[in-house]
Amino acid sequence: MATDYDIVILGAGPAGLTAGIYAARAHRSVLILDTASVGGQTVLTDQVANYPGVATTSGRALSQTMAAQARAFGCTIVPFARVSDVAVTGAEKSVAYRGGERARARAVIVATGGTPRRLGVEGEERFVGRGISFCATCDGEFFTDRPIAVVGGGNSALEEAVSLSRFASRITIVHEFDHFQAEPWIVAEARGNPKIEFLLSQRVLGFAGDGSLAALRSAHRETGEVTETPVEGCFVFIGYVPNSSMLEGQLKLSERGEVVTDGALATSEPGVFAAGDVRQTRVRQITTAVADGTVAALSALDYLNEEGL
Amino acid sequence: MLATNLEHIETEAGFRETLASNENVMICCGRMGPMCLPVYDVMETLTPDYTHVAFRDMAFDEPIGRVIRSLPETAGFMGLPYTVYFKNGEVVAATSSIQSMEQVTAILDQHFGAPA
Ligand SMILES: Cc1cc2nc3c(=O)[nH]c(=O)nc-3n(C[C@H](O)[C@H](O)[C@H](O)COP(=O)(O)OP(=O)(O)OC[C@H]3O[C@@H](n4cnc5c(N)ncnc54)[C@H](O)[C@@H]3O)c2cc1C
């Protein structure tokens, strides 16, 4: 069964929901599809303290309000949509979802965000929830008085390492380079923390243990020297991969897989726009996703008006 | 008590009663945290289709959480939430940490059968 919409938005994170609010307010029919629940990465954020106008809130509360606003303006939102086929080239754009439904769109906004990057090494899957974690606030206390590792060298990795030092007996920061991408203030804070040690220029080889995590194996990137670090926990913060694989061959992507856009957030394909973390951009925050959603929706509306659609 | 739309298990009697009166039970024991919320959302979404499964949640930090935390199947778990699947009162699967819709339905379909 196919249904026609003026605009189909892929992704119900802050970028997609904002785009929906603007597009539906302009009396366009809007479908927002998400492969998971509403909210995107904001659901993974316990406390959002840098969203202007809201003192402090949870990511879930913020995104639920955005979703309620989008629905109130007339957007149809389908979470867990099982998006199976996305065709955005040419005038006939369509998305297949929920195992048999198809939405035809006059314009498409890609707001599919990103997914935490995994190491992809031996033992990683096996020890998720049994030592390997991606959320320090959720799981930190399980590692009280235990040695742990934090993999990564950006702001998230170093901030979480400092916060985990409240619990862990020792923290080894394992990073692929000999310098950090994180801001100098947090590097200084981590360096000054007596519980934190550094293992730099490392390639993580894998995780070992019998039932629960016992060690992280890594090799020096230049000398090849292998180190086995005894750890009972490991927190992985090595950035995000853009959720753009379904657009490969249809839209211009950067070498990292980000959707390339112009200033109006138009992609290489007429009638297709991109917003938020999925596109090639330097800053990835809720505020920038929301701003992108606005621009992408207004650009999509201009496109529909100019094309007489 | 957890702020979800799922039925909550709050007492040991309630826990025993749930297992006694339902052949297939999925219990998510967690907090209102970032790794737990997506699992509750998955359960709420599946509730209308998986009518042969009783979906329940339980607060990890309340005394009742002990019934899940002390199961042999959750020993060694170090990631919230703890999700346990029971058939005829026996544990058939248990997972630790966030789970996707695909991961949850794979377990449900394997142990309880896919919805008709
Ligand atoms: C742990 C953590 C803490 C953070 N803390 C903050 C903070 O305090 N302040 C701040 O400003 N920012 C924070 N961020 C960053 C912020 O959450 C993101 O920049 C923002 O959510 C990006 O919004 P988005 O809509 O572009 O993408 P996302 O939030 O990633 O949403 C994208 C949505 O698209 C869906 N999707 C994926 N593929 C498809 C597909 N094929 N079809 C349909 N839907 C699909 C996903 O399921 C997801 O729901 C944090 C991020 C994380 C991970």
Side-chain angles (χ1 to χ4, degrees):
Chain A
M1 192 183 73
T3 313
D4 291 316
Y5 290 91
D6 290 322
I7 300 178
V8 169
I9 298 172
L10 296 174
L17 293 171
T18 306
I21 290 169
Y22 276 80
R25 257 196 118 184
H27 302 295
R28 290 291 187 167
S29 57
V30 179
L31 174 68
I32 306 179
L33 298 172
D34 201 299
T35 45
S37 59
V38 167
Q41 294 168 64
T42 60
V43 177
L44 305 176
T45 314
D46 229 359
Q47 263 211 347
V48 177
N50 54 2
Y51 192 79
V54 183
T56 300
T57 184
S58 72
R60 182 179 175 85
L62 189 62
S63 59
Q64 280 184 341
T65 308
M66 288 183 194
Q69 283 175 287
R71 284 197 184 97
F73 285 120
C75 291
T76 303
I77 305 178
V78 181
F80 299 107
R82 287 184 279 128
V83 174
S84 54
D85 179 40
V86 178
V88 296
T89 52
E92 295 265 309
K93 305 179 196 310
S94 71
V95 180
Y97 64 105
R98 276 205 301 222
E101 292 176 60
R102 185 167 282 277
R104 280 193 298 253
R106 297 182 176 88
V108 170
I109 297 174
V110 179
T112 49
T115 305
R117 191 185 294 279
R118 295 281 181 100
L119 289 159
V121 298
E122 195 197 328
E124 188 181 23
E125 276 309 312
R126 191 156 50 98
F127 292 114
V128 169
R130 290 178 172 272
I132 294 181
S133 175
F134 306 94
C135 178
T137 21
C138 310
D139 301 333
E141 70 190 64
F142 287 114
F143 301 97
T144 301
D145 298 329
R146 297 169 191 244
I148 64 167
V150 169
V151 180
N155 277 354
S156 305
L158 272 71
E159 280 176 34
E160 298 294 16
V162 169
S163 112
L164 284 162
S165 67
R166 283 183 293 137
F167 304 107
S169 56
R170 190 192 69 238
I171 298 164
T172 308
I173 295 183
V174 182
H175 183 39
E176 60 178 327
F177 304 119
D178 61 0
H179 59 276
F180 294 101
Q181 301 96 310
E183 313 253 356
W185 65 268
I186 186 67
V187 176
E189 203 174 320
R191 286 202 188 282
N193 189 309
K195 283 190 180 177
I196 296 180
E197 297 168 0
F198 298 88
L199 196 54
L200 301 180
S201 303
Q202 299 290 309
R203 187 161 57 87
V204 176
L205 300 176
F207 296 95
D210 187 11
S212 294
L213 181 62
L216 178 153
R217 287 181 64 245
S218 62
H220 194 278
R221 287 168 67 89
E222 277 143 40
T223 65
E225 186 189 348
V226 174
T227 305
E228 187 151 312
T229 310
V231 290
E232 293 179 42
C234 181
F235 289 76
V236 182
F237 302 106
I238 52 171
Y240 286 80
V241 269
N243 296 321
S244 62
S245 56
M246 73 291 179
L247 297 162
E248 268 168 33
Q250 301 192 67
L251 298 182
K252 185 174 177 201
L253 303 180
S254 73
E255 52 186 40
R256 295 163 146 211
E258 304 147 313
V259 179
V260 176
T261 56
D262 65 13
L265 302 192
T267 69
S268 55
E269 188 60 32
V272 184
F273 304 82
D277 283 14
V278 72
R279 76 177 187 93
Q280 191 176 36
T281 180
R282 201 176 75 80
V283 180
R284 290 187 168 86
Q285 288 286 285
I286 300 170
T287 47
T288 53
V290 161
D292 273 11
T294 310
V295 175
L298 296 178
S299 297
L301 293 169
D302 283 349
Y303 167 83
L304 294 177
N305 292 335
E306 281 161 17
E307 297 292 314
L309 295 170
Chain B
M1 199 174 73
L2 298 166
T4 73
N5 295 318
L6 295 165
E7 244 181 75
H8 317 300
I9 297 181
E10 291 168 308
T11 62
E12 268 197 69
F15 173 63
R16 280 195 299 274
E17 159 67 15
T18 303
L19 296 192
S21 54
N22 296 281
E23 181 184 347
N24 304 315
V25 179
M26 173 182 179
I27 300 176
C28 184
C29 180
R31 298 183 181 136
M32 291 308 288
M35 298 288 118
C36 305
L37 295 171
V39 183
Y40 305 139
D41 283 347
V42 167
M43 294 168 77
E44 287 180 17
T45 304
L46 292 176
T47 299
D49 290 334
Y50 283 73
T51 50
H52 58 306
V53 180
F55 294 99
R56 302 285 187 272
D57 64 26
M58 189 184 273
F60 188 84
D61 300 303
E62 299 291 323
I64 182 62
R66 202 183 51 80
V67 300
I68 294 292
R69 292 199 308 262
S70 62
L71 288 170
E73 289 82 358
T74 63
F77 278 11
M78 292 176 132
L80 286 177
Y82 292 7
T83 307
V84 184
Y85 301 77
F86 297 87
K87 187 162 193 76
N88 297 321
E90 300 293 325
V91 177
V92 289
T95 61
S96 174
S97 192
I98 190 169
Q99 299 285 302
S100 66
M101 171 69 88
E102 289 72 27
Q103 288 170 310
V104 171
T105 51
I107 295 174
L108 293 175
D109 294 351
Q110 183 193 342
H111 294 286
F112 305 154

